[in-house]
Amino acid sequence: MSGPFDGKRILLGVSGSIAAYKAIDIASKLTQAGAVVNVLMSQAAIQFVTPLTFRSVTHQDVVTDLFDIQSRHAIEHVKLANSADLLVVAPATAHTIAKLALGLADDPITVTAIATSAPLVIVPAMDANMWHHPAVRANTDVLVSRGVTIVGPAEGRLASGLMGWGRLAETAEVIGAIATKLGSQGDLAGRTIVVSAGGTQEAIDPVRVITNRSSGKMGYAVAAAARDRGARVLLITASTSQDDPVGIETRHVESASEMLSAVLMDCQGADAIVMAAAVADYTPVNPATNKIKKSATGKISIELTKTVDILSAIPRDLVRVGFAAESTNLIPYAQAKVESKSLDFIVANDITTPGSGFGADKNKVSIVSREKVEDIPIMSKYAVANEILDRVAKRFVVQR
Ligand code: CTP
């Protein structure tokens, strides 16, 4: 599996709001991620954006009129509805939401919505007063009670010039919500997976820290892949440059000791932990309360003490996965850590491999357990994440 959208048919319903132009970005990002995107537009929507724009970014037919004799999909819209993996309506106006709640079917979006059994994601956009109107609230509640996912709206400046709730959610949030919905029937549905990511920071004084080169990308990829396979994901992240992922409960920590407390708390009731974080092995014994000034001797020493090994402190009833970044003796060191930390397996990477490891988008790893060593070819971190989760899923089956 290379991504949650690969080969998926996604129907994107665009209704008539000024935010319709933002749906172009959603269509483009979904297409780039490997989805086959068919856009369905209401007559009002084509006042704001042209069907040609959507056809150009998706390379697929756009349905604008149910009675257009030239369009294959207009006549065969039920076929399109049947082949869909998901229908997302973005932007969804108050009028379209009302029609969807009532089951009315008089345009390509609403006809498809009642002709498909695929999950429905709605991304509203309207003026704040409209969003708060009891009729819109009631219609939205009806849709939620039917299992529909509502994404946003966000707060901010609206087309009316007023500030308030009603802006179309950001593309990343919409894409994340679609991935979560698509994955909700995945092989990890019903499982809770704790993932740690990033490099911890150990305070020397209020200004300086001891940290490492971890970018957090590998841990975030594991978290996203687990979400996309239906798991509830609890992400505990130390310093990284990554944005908080959508659909994942994310907690920020700084030091190794904060990470220890967060991990122990989140592991209660969880099924697995993947410790991708680069946790400091040592921390200053006495961090200074005030900023340390340059010394006259030109030398300074900082006394360090060992941190608690988090993996070793985790209850044994979870599936436990560690990481080992090594520059020499990769496999023997990794095998020793499987034993000393009592792990199900460890993901070992040789940090000297070019284009892989810290900060890179790809990784070349070996997966080392007590039983075997598996060399995984270099691939994207998301694909490595799925290799890891395949093995976590196998452990769940054995446990059952
Ligand atoms: N880890 C942990 N708690 C720590 C330190 C590390 O749980 N206090 C976890 C990391 O998240 C990672 C694995 O242990 O999954 C890394 O093992 P570690 O022995 O710390 O690796 P190195 O720091 O490379 O150690 P060594 O110097 O022994 O090679």
Side-chain angles (χ1 to χ4, degrees), residues 55-75:
R55 201 166 79 178
S56 307
V57 297
T58 63
H59 315 291
Q60 298 290 323
D61 288 345
V62 175
V63 186
T64 57
D65 182 352
L66 289 172
F67 306 106
D68 177 4
I69 203 73
Q70 304 298 328
S71 164
R72 186 166 50 95
H73 287 304
I75 300 155

Side-chain angles (χ1 to χ4, degrees), residues 65-100:
D65 182 352
L66 289 172
F67 306 106
D68 177 4
I69 203 73
Q70 304 298 328
S71 164
R72 186 166 50 95
H73 287 304
I75 300 155
E76 298 181 8
H77 59 267
V78 174
K79 216 183 233 177
L80 202 57
N82 284 340
S83 65
D85 291 294
L86 183 136
L87 168 62
V88 51
V89 184
T93 59
H95 188 61
T96 295
I97 288 174
K99 288 200 281 182
L100 292 169

Side-chain angles (χ1 to χ4, degrees), residues 182-381:
L182 283 173
S184 58
Q185 303 303 320
D187 63 339
L188 298 178
R191 298 291 183 177
T192 299
I193 300 190
V194 182
V195 180
S196 72
T200 59
Q201 296 189 336
E202 308 303 315
I204 296 170
D205 69 13
V207 183
R208 288 92 168 197
V209 292
I210 298 176
T211 189
N212 56 68
R213 292 188 201 277
S214 169
S215 65
K217 284 183 182 173
M218 192 62 240
Y220 276 59
V222 173
R227 171 200 66 194
D228 297 345
R229 291 168 71 156
R232 173 180 178 225
V233 183
L234 307 176
L235 174 65
I236 302 161
T237 177
S239 173
T240 89
S241 53
Q242 313 290 307
D243 289 337
D244 280 5
V246 177
I248 291 174
E249 295 160 58
T250 307
R251 223 150 20 125
H252 292 262
V253 297
E254 274 186 12
S255 62
S257 79
E258 280 176 29
M259 182 159 280
L260 172 69
S261 313
V263 166
L264 291 182
M265 187 179 292
D266 283 356
C267 279
Q268 289 172 30
D271 298 290
I273 166 115
V274 180
M275 278 293 293
V279 184
D281 289 327
Y282 292 92
T283 189
V285 176
N286 284 316
T289 3
N290 295 315
K291 187 180 165 206
I292 301 170
K293 303 302 287 176
K294 282 186 272 300
S295 79
T297 65
K299 285 191 178 165
I300 184 168
S301 42
I302 301 165
E303 196 187 351
L304 301 175
T305 181
K306 190 111 185 46
T307 57
V308 173
D309 191 90
I310 302 173
L311 272 172
S312 306
I314 292 168
R316 297 288 182 263
D317 53 350
L318 276 76
V319 173
R320 291 178 312 283
V321 180
F323 274 73
E326 309 284 355
S327 54
T328 53
N329 295 324
L330 180 66
I331 302 302
Y333 281 148
Q335 283 167 326
K337 283 178 193 170
V338 170
E339 286 302 330
S340 66
K341 294 178 187 250
S342 178
L343 302 176
D344 286 84
F345 60 88
I346 198 157
V347 184
N349 70 317
D350 181 343
I351 53 171
T352 61
T353 307
S356 138
F358 289 127
D361 292 318
K362 291 188 173 183
N363 214 353
K364 163 81 193 78
V365 303
S366 300
I367 297 185
V368 179
S369 62
R370 261 179 215 95
E371 303 83 41
K372 56 185 168 192
V373 175
E374 295 171 277
D375 283 327
I376 312 291
I378 188 160
M379 54 179 72
S380 73
K381 287 188 172 173

